[in-house]
Amino acid sequence: MLIFTTREVIMNFKVKKLINDKGDNYIFPFLWLHGEEEDVLRRYMQAIDENNIKAVCIESRPHPDYCGPKWWQDMDVILDEAKKLNMKVWILDDSHFPTGYANGAMAGQPDERCRQSICCRIYECAGGEKLRVEKEELLHPEPFQPSYIENYMIDQIVSRVFDDDKLLGIVAVRIDEDKNGFANEPYRIDLSDKVRDDTLTWEAPEGEWRIYALHLSRNLGFHRNYINMMDKESCKVLIDAVYEPHYAHYKEEFGKTIAGFFSDEPELGNGHLYEQGNVFGLKGDFPWSLELEEVLRKQYGDELIFKLPLLWEEEADDDKKAEVRYSYMNSVTRLVEEDFSFQIGIWCRGHGVQYVGHVIEDNNQHARTGSSLGHYYRGLAGQDMAGIDDIGGQVLPQGEELDKNDGIFDRRIGEFYHYMLGKLANSAAAIEPLKKGNSMCEIFGAYGWSEGLRLEKYLLDHFLVRGINHYVPHAYSAKAYPDPDCPPHFYADGNNPQHRHFGKLMAYTNRVCELISGGRHIAPVAVLYHGEGEWTGTCMYSHKVGHVLADAQIDYDYIPQDVFDQVEGFKTVVTKGLLKVNTQEYKTVIVPNVQYITKAFAEYTVKMVKNGIEVLFVDGLPKGICNVENASESAELISRIQTCPVVKLNETVRILKNNNCADITIEPADNRIRYYHYVHQDGSSVYLFVNEGSKPYQGFVKFNDAPGGYIYNAWDNCLEEAVFNGSELSVYIEPYKSLILVMDSSIEDLNEVKDFVRQPVTMTGEKLAFAGEWKRSLCRSIDYPNFRDEKIIRIPDHLAEEEPEFSGFVRYENNFIAEAGKKTIIEITDAHEGVEIFVNGQSFDIQIVPDYLFDITAAIKDGDNMLVIEVATTPEREMAKVPNAFMQIVEATGYTGITGDINIYQG
């Protein structure tokens, strides 16, 4: 067996930065402002800095005077303190959630700048029957009926009432099976000339007829006072109301202390608040604007009113539905991209700052209208990072296949959150040149007070191993503790016991982010993004493919069909055996089962196949092309891809491995080991491994590249030996912990950093006995270190049962006999949650996940030794008696203190 020590390889330039504590900052948490006093704001900025975080994003939503005198006063304080602490400041770009309220400026805008919807009222009648539609029904859609959550929130926002409802058109289409008007133009009638005095009167000719009344209205949707994302002048209102005033006040700080702006979940806004699943073919409204109408009329002319009913009609010809629905959504999302995303992004970059944020991605909403922007990639196209968020129980340990549908705030498709969410952002960051490999995740929010270090560590590792390299922790709240708004809150004015421990976690996160920034990741497979497929017909969600690949340690990117249409923008190139998109190189493209594809993708499929790139279609070939009206052209394009392999989903891994698309293999197999391969500009590689299972993994990793390198321990910021057997790396990966291998073919003397090379902490030697039973004492976080309530107890502790409302620090004390100079290890098998130990008064730092192992050799003296263990809980138990934001009491279920064994080994 060969042992490659750190002295045999070069020190990766990123690792050099880290071990010299010169790594960059990749974290900018929300700091919620409510109009607090100056000393509170400065204290919170200092607390964030103490947490090893060098930037902050000012969350304006709860502030009472956004862009008013008090806001500028508070911002003056924040910026002054940021400069003292060498911190950067980001600014959330609106006073109400979601982005688009424009700080209330839309209330004074003309009607044509405001949001608008198109909807359809459908009637049926047979030959000889008369249809009469009176004025009120003819000119207005069905009134908006608030949902229960909208009724709950209705006092938070005053919506305008508009008087410009209009009838866009009314048409009749014959729906007899053999004379369907959507397929046969003679069997359709424009009924506009049948309207007299705002009333429709019409007698149906022979046959079965369906009548479609198309209405435009600004009185639909919950956020009617918000900008229209498909209107350039409307979107400029947000710039004028928010961005420009900040620039006027702080021009000199732009690009210096002020780093940029954050858009939070901008939406198209049709339908109901937080609604999901608003796809075509269902009753409901869709977004509209004058610009959209102009685009569609340019394409369809007078035919438009006969095309639009196909957004709702399910019984029409599939090809015709697909073409119209694609055309509509393509136009909507292109306008969002240009009018909203790029307009703000260009303004920001022109003023020396960056533009970031995210849309609602939840359960595939990223490809829909309503609460999102219709297309993940286009909605964020103008931003400098590819953003996502994870809140409220979306990603969970062992939650890969846990689905729920228990109300508007408790829905989850486990497969989406675990196999698509993180990879969406990672993929966009890689394939879009503007983003330069930068991705971002808003994280931790609304998981509740029970969320602590253990879950936070899991969540961070989950997204780190999927390539996310910037984080916005949610949140620090400057409001007096306890603030019931979407906890947990870090620091909490000294009331969160895990404040110092959270700082250790943030230092770890910054280090890993440093290692996965500035280069590119290796993903041999491209999986087609399902957005366009869902617009146009039935489709398999992309995460179905992602699931089987990730479980087999085959990395992938999700790519939209845009990469084949906008080849210059994405730097798309087909070479022998490789599809190149920006920095990425793919050997195989996988197409989840889909009815329709775009013309550009069909043409590039032919080109890829000719160049030896395998294009696999899962469960069948497409039926047609969605963006050509000519049926024969569609058929001809589809005929050219008939030779492409059609495979079963469960066959893809075997085929990919046979095609050398597996970057690594592990033995024994384990479907919960995740990896991420990142290549730096100097040619060195980093492999990040994470165990998302519930049991430790011990085995081997085999690499395609020549092995060699060292382990970088990102928690302790040190180097460890990497043990290879030929081309295989021996690994032991515990749940909640990561393993980072740094590989480099060069050689450099590492004597200059020998103090940072250490042996892993392992349990060896003789097990020692403690002197007697344990003494336990308690203190609240705010009272630390004034412990009270001393008591003799046995381990494991049952503190949660004894003190069900206690949150804070738990101290355990005992003595043991040992010999100085001998290797001595403390093991704590389980605790909740953050652990710091002191031996003879010397601290051995902090650990936050089991097994908790401490090498205490340096503090051991001959004879009697004093051990003190301090465990920091979450605030959950003391908060259980405080109603949440919905005035509910949430039962505390978490453990407290040391719930495992304490062992000590020497030898």
Side-chain angles (χ1 to χ4, degrees), residues 604-895:
Y604 259 82
T605 296
V606 175
K607 188 174 183 179
M608 287 187 287
V609 170
K610 284 183 178 178
N611 281 274
I613 302 164
E614 187 143 57
V615 182
L616 304 178
F617 287 85
V618 179
D619 290 347
L621 293 169
K623 176 184 177 184
I625 306 299
C626 59
N627 56 341
V628 298
E629 288 192 76
N630 187 296
S632 61
E633 181 183 2
S634 175
E636 193 274 331
L637 284 166
I638 291 297
S639 71
R640 293 169 64 192
I641 64 173
Q642 291 296 316
T643 58
C644 290
V646 174
V647 301
K648 297 290 185 184
L649 184 60
N650 60 10
E651 297 174 340
T652 54
V653 168
R654 174 184 57 79
I655 294 170
L656 292 172
K657 288 186 175 181
N658 289 341
N659 291 347
N660 199 30
C661 287
D663 192 28
I664 65 166
T665 54
I666 66 172
E667 181 64 38
D670 191 307
N671 65 2
R672 292 297 176 261
I673 298 298
R674 313 293 180 214
Y675 91 102
Y676 188 62
H677 181 188
Y678 200 80
V679 179
H680 294 139
Q681 292 179 1
D682 67 352
S684 60
S685 289
V686 169
Y687 286 87
L688 170 61
F689 298 94
V690 169
N691 180 0
E692 292 186 347
S694 57
K695 297 178 180 179
Y697 176 83
Q698 185 163 12
F700 297 91
V701 181
K702 185 173 182 179
F703 301 90
N704 292 335
D705 297 332
Y710 49 85
I711 302 298
Y712 173 67
N713 182 327
W715 185 263
D716 294 322
N717 196 23
C718 66
L719 311 180
E720 299 172 357
E721 294 179 343
V723 179
F724 283 90
N725 183 4
S727 64
E728 296 181 343
L729 172 70
S730 176
V731 298
Y732 180 77
I733 313 172
E734 297 177 80
Y736 300 101
K737 296 185 180 180
S738 62
L739 178 71
I740 300 173
L741 174 70
V742 182
M743 297 178 71
D744 200 300
S745 59
S746 303
I747 296 176
E748 186 177 277
D749 187 353
L750 298 183
N751 281 326
E752 60 186 277
V753 292
K754 62 184 178 181
D755 291 340
F756 294 93
V757 181
R758 71 159 210 190
Q759 293 297 317
V761 179
T762 56
M763 292 172 290
T764 57
E766 177 187 356
K767 188 174 182 180
L768 303 183
F770 290 102
E773 294 182 308
W774 291 83
K775 181 171 72 173
R776 184 192 71 196
S777 54
L778 311 173
C779 80
R780 288 194 65 240
S781 176
I782 202 71
D783 300 324
Y784 183 85
N786 299 316
F787 286 85
R788 57 171 175 80
D789 300 335
E790 289 188 1
K791 182 177 181 180
I792 301 301
I793 60 119
R794 292 184 175 181
I795 296 295
D797 194 4
H798 299 282
L799 179 59
E801 298 171 18
E802 295 177 35
E803 300 277 353
E805 294 183 357
F806 172 76
S807 292
F809 286 91
V810 191
R811 174 181 283 177
Y812 301 88
E813 301 175 58
N814 213 327
N815 292 71
F816 61 93
I817 303 297
E819 295 180 47
K822 286 190 174 182
K823 191 81 165 177
T824 309
I825 305 296
I826 290 281
E827 176 200 26
I828 303 169
T829 61
D830 205 4
H832 295 272
E833 293 184 326
V835 175
E836 183 175 10
I837 73 169
F838 304 83
V839 179
N840 299 322
Q842 179 178 339
S843 170
F844 282 86
D845 215 345
I846 287 170
Q847 294 190 33
I848 63 171
V849 294
D851 276 358
Y852 303 83
L853 296 176
F854 300 86
D855 184 341
I856 60 172
T857 306
I860 295 299
K861 61 184 182 180
D862 286 327
D864 190 49
N865 291 266
M866 177 68 178
L867 172 64
V868 175
I869 303 171
E870 291 181 358
V871 180
T873 76
T874 70
E876 176 194 21
R877 290 196 166 272
E878 73 176 23
M879 287 302 301
K881 58 193 175 188
V882 179
N884 65 16
F886 297 99
M887 302 309 295
Q888 301 167 325
I889 297 294
V890 179
E891 181 184 1
T893 58
Y895 295 105

Side-chain angles (χ1 to χ4, degrees), residues 224-274:
R224 297 170 212 161
N225 287 9
Y226 281 58
I227 62 174
N228 190 326
M229 299 292 175
M230 302 177 295
D231 185 296
K232 184 163 289 188
E233 290 303 313
S234 183
C235 293
K236 190 174 182 296
V237 173
L238 175 62
I239 294 175
D240 293 340
V242 172
Y243 289 73
E244 292 286 3
H246 281 89
Y247 187 69
H249 277 79
Y250 304 116
K251 177 180 179 180
E252 299 304 317
E253 298 300 334
F254 270 53
K256 297 176 184 176
T257 309
I258 295 177
F261 289 86
F262 187 112
S263 279
D264 194 21
E265 301 184 356
E267 57 169 22
L268 283 159
N270 55 294
H272 289 282
L273 193 63
Y274 304 123

